[in-house]
């Protein structure tokens, strides 16, 4: 197999090194990732600036491609320029911090996997709950087991899975749940501060809203200590409202 490994935490982040090791025996692994962290950049791409690519010696002795761009840039460059042949699988992560609920829309980790699916390559995004002692190797091993089962079923082109792993320091997960993306957002706010020169700036604060009791979603299932697997698509059309809005008789 040919596997592209990428992320949004940066090419030297521990999560991407753990993921590369976990899939290394599946075939030829190419690592293409941002030089600097790109968390919460969503699916942004670089249009008005040149993108430079550097060979980077990874912590385990392998060599990767460090890209001065966004996660989606990395996948575009890998598939169209850096890899001699299109990969059979794109894996993005292991991200530090869960990508569940509304976070999926902001996530650079998920965006990289979405970009792979755009190109017709089965793709997986994986994240682990944020903690001071995140077990990236444990999350990568769990991901590898799911990938093995994913591949055993011969995934079609453009299949996209979003995997989230609970904090493993609290013990092993209860199991795996295939569940929908939650629709909960952030209870956001801004903390107003003053810098040493007397100028005002703002720091975003907030927490992800908890799901209601009984709701089956990635947010609720991860909180209940399950590994969550959510199939995603990138068609944002609200098909359920097409007939209603056509019925408005919109005209010029």
């Amino acid at each position: 197999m040919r596997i592209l490994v990428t992320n949004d935490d940066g090419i030297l982040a521990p999560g991407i090194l753990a993921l590369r090791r976990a899939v290394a025996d599946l075939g030829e692994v190419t690592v293409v990732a941002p030089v600097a962290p790109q968390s919460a950049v969503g699916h942004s791409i670089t249009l008005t600036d040149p993108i430079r690519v550097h060979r980077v010696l990874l912590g385990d002795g392998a060599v990767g491609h460090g890209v001065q761009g966004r996660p989606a840039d990395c996948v575009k460059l890998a598939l169209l320029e850096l890899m001699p042949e299109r990969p059979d699988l794109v894996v993005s992560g292991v991200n530090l911090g869960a990508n569940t609920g509304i976070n999926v829309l902001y996530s650079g980790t998920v965006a990289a996997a979405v970009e792979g699916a755009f190109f017709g390559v089965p793709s997986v995004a994986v994240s682990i709950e944020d903690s001071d002692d995140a077990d990236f190797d444990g999350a990568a091993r769990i991901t590898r087991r799911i990938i093995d089962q994913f591949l055993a079923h011969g995934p079609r082109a453009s299949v996209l899975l979003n995997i989230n792993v609970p904090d493993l320091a609290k013990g092993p997960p209860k199991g795996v749940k295939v569940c929908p993306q939650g629709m909960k957002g952030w209870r956001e706010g801004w903390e107003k501060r003053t810098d040493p020169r007397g100028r005002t700036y703002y720091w975003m604060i907030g927490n992800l809203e908890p799901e209601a009791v009984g709701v089956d979603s990635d947010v609720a299932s991860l909180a209940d200590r399950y590994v969550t697997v959510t199939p995603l698509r990138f068609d944002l059309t609200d098909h359920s409202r097409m007939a209603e809005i056509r019925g408005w008789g919109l005209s010029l």
Side-chain angles (χ1 to χ4, degrees):
M1 290 190 67
R2 295 178 299 277
I3 302 168
L4 170 63
V5 174
T6 188
N7 74 353
D8 76 355
D9 283 338
I11 194 166
L12 295 178
I16 198 171
L17 301 181
L19 191 57
R20 193 203 74 80
R21 290 192 295 267
V23 300
D25 65 316
L26 284 175
E28 182 181 344
V29 178
T30 301
V31 177
V32 183
V35 171
Q38 299 288 324
S39 295
V41 300
H43 211 107
S44 61
I45 56 175
T46 303
L47 292 178
T48 59
D49 295 306
I51 296 178
R52 303 186 189 280
V53 181
H54 311 276
R55 286 173 56 85
V56 177
L57 183 64
L58 306 178
D60 56 5
V63 175
H65 302 271
V67 176
Q68 290 182 323
R70 308 299 195 186
D73 293 327
C74 294
V75 177
K76 288 180 184 293
L77 276 169
L79 270 61
L80 298 176
E81 291 291 333
L82 302 177
M83 299 182 72
E85 296 182 73
R86 180 167 294 193
D88 303 297
L89 179 69
V90 173
V91 190
S92 179
V94 176
N95 185 71
L96 178 59
N99 279 306
T100 56
I102 204 70
N103 284 353
V104 170
L105 298 178
Y106 299 119
S107 169
T109 302
V110 175
V114 170
E115 191 67 35
F118 279 168
F119 280 88
V121 180
S123 300
V124 175
V126 57
S127 307
I128 187 171
E129 281 187 309
D130 195 359
S131 73
D132 292 334
D133 192 25
D135 184 356
F136 292 107
D137 286 309
R141 287 192 295 269
I142 288 171
T143 302
R144 169 59 191 273
R145 290 196 286 270
I146 294 173
I147 286 174
D148 286 344
Q149 296 167 74
F150 179 49
L151 296 175
H153 286 83
R156 300 187 307 276
S158 299
V159 173
L160 170 61
L161 298 183
N162 184 35
I163 300 171
N164 282 278
V165 179
D167 181 3
L168 299 176
K170 298 177 180 178
K174 293 180 179 179
V176 178
K177 273 193 178 182
V178 178
C179 49
Q181 175 191 349
M183 288 292 98
K184 288 297 183 180
W186 282 80
R187 291 173 176 163
E188 293 177 336
W190 296 95
E191 184 173 302
K192 186 177 180 180
R193 300 181 180 181
T194 304
D195 71 17
R197 296 183 179 179
R199 294 176 299 194
T200 299
Y201 68 99
Y202 296 87
W203 196 275
M204 180 180 280
I205 57 175
N207 293 292
L208 191 64
E209 294 178 322
E211 289 280 19
V213 175
V215 172
D216 178 29
S217 72
D218 55 359
V219 175
S221 298
L222 186 67
D224 200 23
R225 299 203 43 74
Y226 283 91
V227 174
T228 66
V229 178
T230 302
L232 300 177
R233 63 182 183 183
F234 41 82
D235 176 4
L236 299 182
T237 306
D238 188 347
H239 292 279
S240 67
R241 289 188 168 86
M242 289 288 289
E244 173 193 348
I245 295 173
R246 283 173 177 155
W248 294 355
L250 297 173
S251 63
L252 297 178

